[in-house]
Amino acid sequence: MSEKIDVRYVAKLARIALSEEEVARFGEQLGNLLEHVNVLSELDTAAVPATAQVVESRNVERPDDVLPCLDRETVLAMAPQRQGGFFRVPRIIAEP
Amino acid sequence: MNELVRRSAAEIARDVGAKRLSAREVTEAVLARVDEVDDKLGCYLTRLNELARSSAQRVDERIAAGETLPLAGVPVAVKDNMCLTGTRTTAGSKILENWIAPYTATAVQRILDAGGVPIGKTNLDEFAMGSSCENSALGVTRNPYDLGRVPGGSSGGSAAAVGGYEAAIGLGSDTGGSIREPGAFCNVVGFKPTYGRVSRYGLIAFASSLDQIGPLARTVEDAALAYDAMAGHDPMDSTSIDRPVELTAIALRGDLKGVKIGIVKEFVTAKLGQEIDALYRRAYSELAALGAELVDVSLPTADYGLATYYLIAPAECSSNLARFDGVRYGLRVDGDDVGQMYENTRAAGFGPEVKRRILIGTYALSSGYYDAYYVKAQKARTMFAQDFRKAFERCDLIAAPAASSPPFEFNSKSDPYSMYMMDYYTIPMSLAGLPALSVPCGYAGSPQLPMGLQLCGPLFQEAKLLGAAHAYEQATKYATKVAVAV
Amino acid sequence: MIARAKYEAVIGIECHVELTTRSKMFCGCANEFGGEPNTKVCPVCLALPGALPVANKEAIEHMIRAGLAFGAKIPEFSKFDRKNYFYPDMPKDYQISQYDMPLTLGGSVRYWLDDGTSKECRLTRIHLEEDTGKSVHAGGDGRIAGSAYSLIDFNRAGVPLMECVSEPDLRSAEEAVAYLEALKRTFVLLGVSDVKMEEGSLRCDANVSIRPAGSNELGTKAEIKNMNSFRSVFRAIESEIARQIDVLESGGRVVQETRGWDESQGVTHSMRSKEEAHDYRYFPDPDLVPLEIDTALIDRLRKTIPALPTERFERYLHEYELDPKQATQLIDNLPLARYFDECVAASGNAKQCTNFVLGDLSRLANETSIAVYASPVTPALLAELIGLVETKTVNSKIAKELVERMWAGEGSPKAIVEKEGLAQTSDTGEIERLIADVLSANEKAVADYKSGKTNILGFLTGQVMKASRGKANPALVTELLRKRLD
């Protein structure tokens, strides 16, 4: 099964702008990878559960305690753009 | 070369602890070595001279005050995907090129608490994706045995630092082989513990269900010391195992009497060429000469390892790397609106390998493909775990190659898939979460370049694993047979 | 009007309710409303590289209790999934939520309408997730459309959130609000949330469609957002139902879309077409482990659930024959309801208890800012007073005075009556004498009465009451007066 990935659609989902050249190149490389990956369809996994986690573990929780948080100046010093106490971003076009 | 830089971590810790040596002296010697060779080797993206000196000072004070520190004064190289407060932490990527971490990874903190002295942050394949360190966006690291060849990856910087005497311990991370393969390439021990044994808190995530932090060192004993200091439950990591740690440095053994070692029949080393085949046959017979009984075991799912891994790891990473969006930290490339800002930032900030993996991972999780790809791969993964469980009914440990070739030349693997093939022998253990390591087992090729023997144990059997590796190492001492090129 | 009767509205409500815990869902930052922006953030809720989530035990227990209160099924296994999408107030660019194995399934909410009848709305599920940060849109009129940039505060990011999805069982705006009130009542009673729409701890969207009355098929639904209060919810749903009827009546078709409620204009506006569905690429979060909920935990949590408003409400309506407004007043104030119950138990007279508790006592509580149940008027004292009223020992005027004096701390009404001789006089002889006095002092009034102004009787009764210092039995006074005059 040779699959053609809609690279543009996937790049949109992943929020990565691609040049035309990249769309073509990645399309080919990922298509090749998918061909290799498709051997998995040979495996009979009907009776096998998907791995939930590698090492069996359940109910890992923390108590409802308040712990010290980060100092605001440290936090905002990292911001690519800040305004007062806020992170600033370019206009949002639509709600999610 | 100042002989101090050749010392093992165990020796340094002993001498500093006994006040025969000061942490300051060791640190200065290593810093001088770094000054001397790092321009050629390129191990360190960020040198931490000031922090190293103040840490060394602190270690000496603690020793003077009577504290016992298992890693007293040991110079440590920290892979740059691990947060260390106040240090530039880049993950080898332009998107974090100038990011300063405001907190320290638990594993790193434990090494520092044990007396380790941080020398610098080491180079890596971007976001730990790669097997040669060539995918780093911020620097080039060279193999200390041949500067025209790769040190392996993704923990190439840490492996080369240890192999090139620019540190005694290197902290690396292993997702599909990223400690073991560079360990093999740089002629050092590279150890990946059981999944969950070492906290991932503060390790910049690549594939959450596969990533583990582990040590690179010039001896098994050193790796054991570092592991003992780092391992153990961390409440900040939900996947961290809450189980008592069996210390490994005291479990090192001199022979392999009574130990059954499984040789995987699907790992046909003849495929790797006559010289390498002979090398591994020799390694297996050396194990037998130490008293081990060799048994044939089977991992029927072995050939599906790459497919399984290259669906699960990219899927998880596509989600883990979404946070790099230019909003709260890191690189931002502006746009007319926030959507464009995301796309421009991530286009400029991520290298091609990272982009490829995000794309394939997004695809594997997307509607219509989730069951056929992601779920299918997770089922295949269960089969690996089952295979190993069956194999370990017949043996105590498994032996295999650590890499499919000696270190290769730069730019020699232009096709992504040929690079992925480097992980063939290490991926199965990662998928099953098993503890595994690489130990130097000789040289191959022309020029003669390092090869590593991989040993793997059942879940939580680190002590048994390191114990056996130590016996092999002491009997063969391959790491010392060829000198580094710097 | 006629058009309205042709159609039936079908409404489902989806709520997001913030849980009252001390700390956030996956980290230890404070879960508090208000405060300076970005002062309650840490590596985890800010999604710094390397940070990992750890689930809040209290939040999980709150969720389970809420599910039990609604008769939902609590499954044996539950897990967290990642919901992947990009938005600036989402630090990880995925939300940790629950997809196919939520903490509760099914259940139902009983709600009451103004006429006292109750109905049940089935729940599809309630699941646990984390809240996002808050964005302020600047440079326009505060809405997204037309804004120049946005400012983000992450204090709220990571606060535990219950998403409560109902089946489309609601049939009117009134029912929708009643449903929300019932939800709120239960959450407040359980102590799992303070449910304040104005503070954002309850947010809801409504799915509204219409169909021909009597039909069983569902019409096309529109999702209504931006309702900030229960009143908005009512108005928005009414407006939307009317709009959809207009559309159908004029031969159009309802479009499946999201519409935002505009409070000032009193209409809904189309926000976007629902065709652009998101591919959230849900997959189990590999940084968290599954939850296994055993029956011991469920039993323990079940025991912590107090008597629910439902049973009390039913009792008040049917046993004590309160009207719905009165019953609501009581059940919305649990300590008052308890006080009321004690009074009924002590006096055996629910009607009188209602009169006093919701009448004079509540008025005094408002005036003096002391809660009824914290006042000196104990249930026992009130029962005493009610006894005096029942035996006609005091009339209503005296009773009112006694209430005031009891509130002021004067203690037993029986004692006061005895001491001051306030008992109602029903001594016919005594009253006859008073009547004689009054009539002789009011000859003109008597003449007016005899000439046909029968309402003078009230004035004369009042005079006799005054003469008796309020103690005369007013009904008896009137009766005897009439006899005398006629």
Side-chain angles (χ1 to χ4, degrees):
Chain A
M1 185 199 351
S2 178
E3 226 161 296
K4 271 233 100 185
I5 303 182
D6 184 349
V7 175
R8 276 200 194 82
Y9 172 70
V10 176
K12 198 80 196 169
L13 275 183
R15 298 293 190 276
I16 303 178
L18 294 183
S19 66
E20 280 313 305
E21 186 271 324
E22 282 172 314
V23 170
R25 179 164 39 100
F26 288 149
E28 199 189 313
Q29 287 169 338
L30 296 181
N32 287 340
L33 177 58
L34 274 188
E35 270 190 54
H36 283 113
V37 149
N38 277 325
V39 299
L40 278 187
S41 53
E42 293 165 14
L43 277 179
D44 180 6
T45 54
V48 182
T51 297
Q53 342 119 255
V54 175
V55 182
E56 293 290 302
S57 200
R58 295 275 184 271
N59 299 342
V60 175
E61 294 159 339
R62 39 171 273 276
D64 186 24
D65 295 327
V66 176
L67 299 174
C69 59
L70 281 175
D71 162 67
R72 182 158 78 165
E73 269 321 297
T74 308
V75 167
L76 290 173
M78 292 190 239
Q81 197 181 11
R82 67 180 279 189
Q83 183 162 306
F86 295 89
F87 290 87
R88 177 170 158 157
V89 297
R91 67 196 177 120
I92 302 169
I93 299 247
E95 294 222 23
Chain B
M1 204 187 304
N2 182 333
E3 71 77 36
L4 278 181
V5 310
R6 290 187 159 278
R7 297 245 189 128
S8 72
E11 287 167 349
I12 293 171
R14 246 186 329 259
D15 288 343
V16 171
K19 299 186 197 125
R20 283 191 289 269
L21 199 55
S22 75
R24 265 320 277 265
E25 278 179 80
V26 180
T27 303
E28 289 303 332
V30 171
L31 292 180
R33 170 76 178 159
V34 170
D35 278 340
E36 190 199 327
V37 301
D38 206 57
D39 284 345
K40 298 192 204 77
L41 281 186
C43 302
Y44 290 105
L45 290 174
T46 303
R47 298 196 205 168
L48 299 173
N49 291 6
E50 243 183 75
L51 181 58
R53 289 181 171 120
S54 61
S55 301
Q57 173 83 4
R58 187 80 195 98
V59 168
D60 286 329
E61 285 164 10
R62 290 168 71 189
I63 296 291
E67 270 189 71
T68 308
L69 299 174
L71 295 175
V74 174
V76 178
V78 178
K79 186 175 181 181
D80 209 19
N81 61 356
M82 297 178 205
C83 293
L84 172 54
T85 305
T87 70
R88 197 174 72 122
T89 303
T90 68
S93 178
K94 283 198 175 352
I95 220 167
L96 286 178
E97 192 171 357
N98 296 306
W99 184 64
I100 311 286
Y103 76 106
T104 300
T106 302
V108 174
Q109 189 59 53
R110 289 180 182 179
I111 293 285
L112 300 181
D113 289 344
V117 172
I119 300 299
K121 307 298 284 309
T122 58
N123 198 18
L124 64 157
D125 283 298
E126 189 179 358
F127 285 105
M129 299 181 201
S131 309
S132 66
C133 224
E134 292 174 287
N135 290 332
S136 171
L138 302 178
V140 175
T141 304
R142 299 171 184 286
N143 191 306
Y145 286 83
D146 182 335
L147 301 180
R149 289 175 191 258
V150 302
S154 63
S155 311
S158 286
V162 170
Y165 303 99
E166 294 188 67
I169 298 280
L171 294 184
S173 71
D174 191 310
T175 306
S178 289
I179 289 177
R180 291 162 281 163
E181 188 248 33
F185 277 19
C186 293
N187 215 15
V188 300
V189 175
F191 171 41
K192 180 197 89 67
T194 304
Y195 179 81
R197 271 294 200 195
V198 177
S199 169
R200 291 184 301 116
Y201 184 74
L203 170 69
I204 301 180
F206 160 21
S208 314
S209 72
L210 293 158
D211 292 343
Q212 268 296 277
I213 291 178
L216 292 131
R218 289 188 291 275
T219 65
V220 172
E221 184 183 17
D222 283 359
L225 279 172
Y227 166 79
D228 287 350
M230 288 193 288
H233 181 242
D234 181 13
M236 299 297 285
D237 174 358
S238 298
T239 60
S240 156
I241 301 300
D242 194 356
R243 229 182 123 116
V245 175
E246 216 186 320
L247 292 179
T248 57
I250 48 166
L252 307 178
R253 45 185 303 164
D255 61 58
L256 296 174
K257 293 204 188 84
V259 179
K260 290 203 176 86
I261 303 222
I263 309 294
V264 178
K265 81 172 199 282
E266 287 79 8
F267 290 167
V268 178
T269 48
K271 280 200 257 189
L272 303 174
Q274 204 207 13
E275 192 192 2
I276 296 177
D277 183 38
L279 185 139
Y280 282 113
R281 284 178 192 284
R282 182 187 69 192
Y284 300 154
S285 67
E286 282 162 340
L287 294 169
L290 283 163
E293 183 191 334
L294 303 182
V295 269
D296 281 330
V297 295
S298 174
L299 295 178
T301 324
D303 281 345
Y304 299 93
L306 280 164
T308 306
Y309 176 82
Y310 278 101
L311 279 175
I312 295 176
E316 293 181 3
C317 97
S318 70
S319 181
N320 285 332
L321 268 61
R323 66 189 60 193
F324 301 105
D325 59 9
V327 174
R328 288 147 289 116
Y329 49 81
L331 178 72
R332 176 190 289 196
V333 176
D334 259 307
D336 275 346
D337 56 70
V338 80
Q340 280 194 19
M341 187 270 279
Y342 287 152
E343 295 192 8
N344 296 342
T345 299
R346 290 158 68 79
F350 289 144
E353 185 57 38
V354 171
K355 284 180 183 151
R356 267 192 290 273
R357 297 201 195 191
I358 291 176
L359 291 174
I360 198 75
T362 305
Y363 182 71
L365 290 174
S366 66
S367 171
Y369 297 103
Y370 177 72
D371 286 313
Y373 287 124
Y374 185 75
V375 176
K376 185 82 179 177
Q378 290 287 27
K379 291 184 172 210
R381 185 175 188 172
T382 306
M383 291 175 74
F384 274 96
Q386 290 171 347
D387 280 4
F388 274 106
R389 240 176 276 130
K390 279 207 199 75
F392 283 125
E393 283 166 16
R394 296 166 41 76
C395 66
D396 299 302
L397 300 169
I398 286 174
S404 3
S405 74
F408 44 88
E409 288 170 324
F410 286 100
N411 298 313
S412 59
K413 291 195 194 296
S414 52
D415 164 38
Y417 198 75
S418 65
M419 188 68 84
Y420 299 163
M421 287 286 295
M422 291 306 303
D423 299 330
Y424 177 84
Y425 295 104
T426 49
I427 274 174
M429 297 76 178
S430 300
L431 290 171
L434 301 172
L437 57 75
S438 167
V439 59
C441 70
Y443 303 84
S446 177
Q448 290 271 283
L449 293 163
M451 298 288 296
L453 172 68
Q454 185 182 192
L455 291 171
C456 157
L459 293 172
F460 308 119
Q461 302 279 333
E462 285 84 4
K464 186 187 284 187
L465 177 62
L466 287 167
H470 176 79
Y472 177 82
E473 174 200 69
Q474 293 300 301
T476 57
K477 292 206 160 76
Y478 281 112
T480 58
K481 306 268 198 258
V482 171
V484 289
V486 287
Chain C
M1 284 301 155
I2 300 168
R4 192 87 197 224
K6 270 168 71 176
Y7 298 97
E8 177 180 59
V10 175
I11 301 156
I13 299 271
E14 195 179 294
C15 289
H16 285 92
V17 182
E18 286 179 1
L19 293 177
T20 45
T21 52
R22 285 194 297 272
S23 60
K24 291 187 179 181
M25 185 66 222
F26 293 109
C27 68
C29 290
N31 173 8
E32 277 165 2
F33 179 72
E36 285 297 299
N38 294 304
T39 51
K40 293 177 243 205
V41 293
C42 74
V44 179
C45 57
L46 207 54
L48 296 189
L52 293 172
V54 184
N56 184 327
K57 187 177 163 90
E58 180 90 339
I60 292 169
E61 294 192 354
H62 274 345
M63 261 283 333
I64 295 173
R65 290 167 68 238
L68 290 173
F70 293 125
K73 173 165 143 56
I74 312 291
E76 203 187 329
F77 286 103
S78 183
K79 64 174 166 64
F80 292 104
D81 301 291
R82 294 190 184 179
K83 180 178 181 183
N84 296 281
Y85 66 100
F86 284 81
Y87 199 72
D89 67 11
M90 284 234 304
K92 296 186 287 296
D93 291 303
Y94 62 84
Q95 181 193 33
I96 301 178
S97 178
Q98 297 193 293
Y99 183 53
D100 57 336
M101 292 176 72
L103 269 168
T104 85
L105 281 165
S108 65
V109 178
R110 181 160 286 279
Y111 57 94
W112 288 268
L113 303 166
D114 278 346
D115 63 5
T117 56
S118 75
K119 292 179 76 177
E120 225 173 47
C121 180
R122 291 166 304 160
L123 291 173
T124 315
R125 55 189 265 159
I126 312 178
H127 72 248
L128 191 52
E129 58 185 28
E130 52 174 353
D131 210 343
T132 63
K134 267 198 266 207
S135 33
V136 175
H137 311 299
D141 60 1
R143 287 188 299 160
I144 284 187
S147 65
Y149 60 90
S150 295
L151 300 174
I152 324 274
D153 169 20
F154 292 102
N155 282 352
R156 195 184 70 183
V159 162
L161 213 56
M162 273 190 294
E163 182 175 319
C164 196
V165 183
S166 85
E167 293 286 330
D169 289 350
L170 304 164
R171 294 285 173 266
S172 69
E174 187 203 354
E175 291 195 18
V177 173
Y179 163 81
L180 284 170
E181 283 174 346
L183 264 190
K184 171 173 175 156
R185 207 172 280 137
T186 305
F187 289 147
V188 171
L189 190 71
L190 288 174
V192 305
S193 178
D194 61 15
V195 197
K196 292 192 183 147
M197 271 189 101
E198 65 280 10
E199 283 183 7
S201 54
L202 165 69
R203 308 188 302 260
C204 71
D205 300 330
N207 286 314
V208 179
S209 67
I210 58 175
R211 62 185 177 195
S215 161
N216 274 329
E217 281 180 36
L218 290 173
T220 309
K221 64 180 177 195
E223 187 187 10
I224 313 298
K225 287 177 163 317
N226 276 350
M227 301 168 289
N228 294 327
S229 63
F230 286 2
R231 185 171 136 71
S232 292
V233 171
F234 182 85
R235 294 177 66 213
I237 292 177
E238 289 262 290
S239 158
E240 179 59 17
I241 292 172
R243 184 193 74 86
Q244 289 193 11
I245 288 177
D246 276 345
V247 168
L248 291 189
E249 285 290 289
S250 50
R253 281 189 347 174
V254 174
V255 171
Q256 182 169 339
E257 59 182 348
T258 301
R259 299 183 68 88
W261 168 246
D262 185 328
E263 187 72 39
S264 51
Q265 290 188 9
V267 290
T268 59
H269 294 297
S270 180
M271 286 172 75
R272 67 162 192 275
S273 169
K274 265 222 153 179
E275 311 154 24
E276 205 207 276
H278 282 276
D279 186 347
Y280 291 121
R281 287 159 278 133
Y282 285 100
F283 72 102
D285 194 328
D287 286 331
L288 293 164
V289 307
L291 301 171
E292 195 176 310
I293 302 145
D294 64 15
T295 43
L297 174 65
I298 294 181
D299 288 340
R300 176 170 69 79
L301 291 176
R302 201 191 294 275
K303 290 199 182 83
T304 68
I305 297 176
L308 294 175
T310 38
E311 300 139 35
R312 213 182 224 113
F313 200 87
E314 299 278 8
R315 189 166 21 106
Y316 289 173
L317 283 185
H318 303 299
E319 239 184 86
Y320 300 160
E321 292 175 8
L322 271 61
D323 70 47
K325 274 204 168 51
Q326 292 171 324
T328 305
Q329 248 185 293
L330 287 170
I331 64 169
D332 276 346
N333 185 341
L334 190 59
L336 186 64
R338 287 205 191 104
Y339 173 88
F340 174 81
D341 287 346
E342 281 177 60
C343 291
V344 173
S347 68
N349 188 332
K351 268 259 148 10
Q352 285 292 358
C353 286
T354 310
N355 289 340
F356 281 113
V357 172
L358 294 181
D360 285 324
L361 289 174
S362 288
R363 174 185 53 84
L364 283 164
N366 274 339
E367 287 169 11
T368 62
S369 299
I370 296 172
V372 172
Y373 45 86
S375 74
V377 185
T378 62
L381 286 180
L382 186 64
E384 222 181 80
L385 179 63
I386 290 175
L388 293 174
V389 171
E390 275 174 342
T391 55
K392 294 204 196 323
T393 307
V394 296
N395 58 37
S396 51
K397 188 168 179 301
I398 299 287
K400 249 183 149 58
E401 270 181 44
L402 286 169
V403 170
E404 304 261 349
R405 292 173 71 171
M406 283 157 72
W407 191 276
E410 288 190 37
S412 158
K414 236 192 212 152
I416 296 173
V417 164
E418 269 181 41
K419 193 167 124 219
E420 300 183 16
L422 296 176
Q424 184 168 246
T425 306
S426 294
D427 178 338
T428 322
E430 168 88 24
I431 292 178
E432 293 271 8
R433 270 192 295 109
L434 290 172
I435 286 177
D437 289 342
V438 164
L439 288 182
S440 60
N442 290 280
E443 280 171 16
K444 183 172 186 308
V446 173
D448 284 343
Y449 178 83
K450 290 209 169 147
S451 69
K453 289 192 181 139
T454 45
N455 50 1
I456 296 287
L457 194 61
F459 165 74
L460 289 171
T461 305
Q463 293 299 92
V464 175
M465 290 300 296
K466 216 165 116 187
S468 74
R469 276 176 294 132
K471 286 190 295 180
N473 180 333
L476 192 54
V477 167
T478 308
E479 196 196 313
L480 292 172
L481 261 175
R482 219 187 252 122
K483 267 207 193 126
R484 198 58 178 281
L485 292 166
D486 290 340

